[in-house]
Amino acid sequence: MRRMKERGIQTSIHYLPVYLFEFYRQELGCKPGSLPITEEVGQREITLPLYPSMAESDADYVCRSVTEVLGENKTAGN
């Protein structure tokens, strides 16, 4: 997310695992740690910019940036 921000691309964590929402914690007693793989994936899933008036060139820039950032992480051993 930091590397994307450096490229001028806003990202955010997509969604918390649904069972960690307050309703499920209160009503069903769900607790963090119940589904560790789900929680781990939830920490890595991000939202990328996408909106109806987005120019194709902007979409291309986001796609290229994702590819480059992931490539940087792969070569760094992350």
Side-chain angles (χ1 to χ4, degrees):
M1 290 175 70
R2 179 184 51 79
R3 296 289 296 135
M4 294 297 281
K5 184 177 183 178
E6 290 171 0
R7 294 165 179 257
I9 300 170
Q10 181 179 345
T11 62
S12 61
I13 296 295
H14 189 64
Y15 293 113
L16 289 173
V18 71
Y19 74 95
L20 294 177
F21 288 0
E22 185 174 343
F23 172 81
Y24 294 101
R25 289 193 333 254
Q26 289 180 351
E27 296 296 318
L28 303 176
C30 297
K31 297 179 182 172
S34 299
L35 298 170
I37 294 172
T38 300
E39 291 175 34
E40 194 270 329
V41 169
Q43 292 173 359
R44 294 184 298 123
E45 185 178 30
I46 64 171
T47 299
L48 298 171
L50 179 64
Y51 46 93
S53 62
M54 185 176 196
E56 188 170 338
S57 60
D58 291 336
D60 288 341
Y61 178 67
V62 170
C63 292
R64 276 193 321 275
S65 294
V66 168
T67 301
E68 291 168 4
V69 167
L70 292 176
E72 291 170 4
N73 285 338
K74 187 174 183 179
T75 59
N78 294 333

